[in-house]
Amino acid sequence: AQKVTQAQTEISVVEKEDVTLDCVYETRDTTYYLFWYKQPPSGELVFLIRRNSFDEQNEISGRYSWNFQKSTSSFNFTITASQVVDSAVYFCALSVLSNTGKLIFGQGTTLQVKP
Amino acid sequence: EAGVTQFPSHSVIEKGQTVTLRCDPISGHDNLYWYRRVMGKEIKFLLHFVKESKQDESGMPNNRFLAERTGGTYSTLKVQPAELEDSGVYFCASSLSRTEAFFGQGTRLTVV
């Protein structure tokens, strides 16, 4: 069985602070994909990143960075110098190829960035 | 290129009524998924189409839910009769491969 846990339900920071959103996953499959999605107040789910299980390289995209560690089954997401526009619900998700490609989501972390 | 489109964006219905949600995937995407987020909980998988065939419907909560995908294009999700616990946001996603899905804006369903 697969599972994704986002232990942080809500996080509140002040603009320009760095913030890390945690994601821990469980799967017995050796081939899998990890995702982060952002859900702004407008409601749609916006794709941020996909990593496959064979690529543990960390990734940086502007103010966003992701730390994938198979040893701890974690795929954490860091926003550097947060901005008010970063306020949203962030979902971590897992997909295993043996399972039709469906996504298993975590509970989501609501990030509030105050000015 | 148009993204995944869902109709309606909001729906408020009374318990016992029928509601049909529609999803138009990205053109050419064979894979179409339905998900649901209830009461601020995690987003849960409902079912997966490959073209017009149901590949996996293990997440459908009960037989009050019926999904179809006519001709492998758009999909509908009908809830009949709706119950209070069906309230939530219903998301549709489509993908070319099974490794990256693009989501619609969701339909917020409220059953009163």
Side-chain angles (χ1 to χ4, degrees), chain A residues 38-103:
Chain A
K38 173 182 179 179
Q39 186 184 29
S42 51
E44 74 276 19
L45 283 169
V46 178
F47 168 82
L48 294 178
I49 190 172
R50 179 191 74 217
R51 303 299 285 174
N52 73 56
S53 52
F54 301 108
D55 182 3
E56 282 192 77
Q57 271 193 331
N58 292 330
E59 181 154 338
I60 298 175
S61 176
R63 296 183 298 106
Y64 295 172
S65 61
W66 291 270
N67 183 358
F68 176 27
Q69 292 195 347
K70 289 177 76 170
S71 60
T72 55
S73 296
S74 65
F75 186 44
N76 296 337
F77 172 31
T78 298
I79 302 175
T80 303
S82 59
Q83 299 176 1
V84 173
V85 294
D86 295 327
S87 297
V89 183
Y90 291 86
F91 292 95
C92 180
L94 166 71
S95 172
V96 297
L97 283 184
S98 63
N99 213 7
T100 75
K102 69 185 181 188
L103 294 169

Side-chain angles (χ1 to χ4, degrees), chain B residues 38-74:
Chain B
V38 174
M39 293 288 290
K41 296 185 178 179
E42 70 269 27
I43 300 169
K44 284 195 172 179
F45 167 81
L46 295 178
L47 87 159
H48 171 211
F49 284 99
V50 176
K51 296 185 180 178
E52 68 275 8
S53 300
K54 292 177 186 175
Q55 187 78 6
D56 180 357
E57 49 185 329
S58 60
M60 294 289 263
N62 52 61
N63 59 11
R64 294 185 295 102
F65 288 75
L66 175 64
E68 295 179 326
R69 190 179 183 192
T70 307
T73 55
Y74 70 91

Side-chain angles (χ1 to χ4, degrees), chain B residues 5 15 17-18 23 31 33 42 45 66 68-69 71 73 84-85 87 95 97 104:
Chain B
T5 309
K15 176 182 173 181
Q17 288 186 324
T18 297
C23 169
N31 294 285
Y33 303 82
E42 70 269 27
F45 167 81
L66 175 64
E68 295 179 326
R69 190 179 183 192
T73 55
L84 298 179
E85 63 264 25
S87 296
S95 68
S97 68

